[in-house]
Amino acid sequence: MNAVALDDLPEVLTVEQAAGYLQLHKVTVYKYIREGLLPAARIGKVYRILRPDLERFLRLATEEQQTGE
């Protein structure tokens, strides 16, 4: 798993790209999608994540940690 800079990400990401950016395993990203925490579109057999949705997901997760929820 390689870390990726936000500016290097395309507008539409694969689960693997999102996992690399978040420095998580792709199974964890699939879990967040399944739980409805990370919006994603299923196209055929694969999921695609919009970069603004990934940024919002990370921002919300950070805010929740800061407020102690």
Side-chain angles (χ1 to χ4, degrees), residues 9-57:
L9 294 176
E11 284 299 311
V12 179
L13 297 102
T14 64
V15 169
E16 290 79 9
Q17 289 169 320
Y21 174 68
L22 296 171
Q23 297 185 19
L24 297 171
H25 195 277
K26 67 181 184 178
V27 172
T28 304
V29 174
Y30 280 117
K31 176 184 168 220
Y32 291 149
I33 292 169
R34 189 175 53 252
E35 291 175 352
L37 299 172
L38 177 59
R42 187 167 181 171
I43 302 171
K45 294 184 178 184
V46 296
Y47 285 98
R48 293 294 184 249
I49 302 161
L50 296 177
R51 186 167 71 179
D53 289 335
L54 182 64
E55 293 173 27
R56 189 175 311 109
F57 168 79

